[in-house]
Amino acid sequence: MRLTLSIDLDAVSDDPTAEVGRILRYWAGAVGQMDLTEEAEHPLMNSTYTAEVGRIRLHRG
């Protein structure tokens, strides 16, 4: 299995460094609750949850 996190930095407004850090912290905490044996895909949202700025994917190969 492969875990892929993709963030469109052009879609992140204001402070990209802070937004990327927030996204990484959130998903780092969520990994413990994920089933890492099944494929899954989730949107990555901006801090106001008004726009998708990327995707996190658990997939084969």
Side-chain angles (χ1 to χ4, degrees), residues 3-15:
L3 180 67
T4 306
L5 189 137
S6 174
I7 300 172
D8 179 358
L9 295 176
D10 293 330
V12 176
S13 60
D14 297 329
D15 186 353

Side-chain angles (χ1 to χ4, degrees), residues 1-59:
M1 294 295 271
R2 185 176 293 264
L3 180 67
T4 306
L5 189 137
S6 174
I7 300 172
D8 179 358
L9 295 176
D10 293 330
V12 176
S13 60
D14 297 329
D15 186 353
T17 303
E19 279 288 287
V20 169
R22 182 195 61 79
I23 291 168
L24 291 173
R25 283 189 302 278
Y26 175 87
W27 283 99
V31 166
Q33 300 170 21
M34 294 173 68
D35 179 356
L36 298 180
T37 64
E38 295 292 326
E39 292 188 357
E41 188 168 351
H42 304 282
L44 302 176
M45 303 301 290
N46 65 2
S47 60
T48 59
Y49 292 90
T50 56
E52 185 175 319
V53 297
R55 309 279 303 164
I56 186 169
R57 248 181 99 205
L58 185 62
H59 56 99

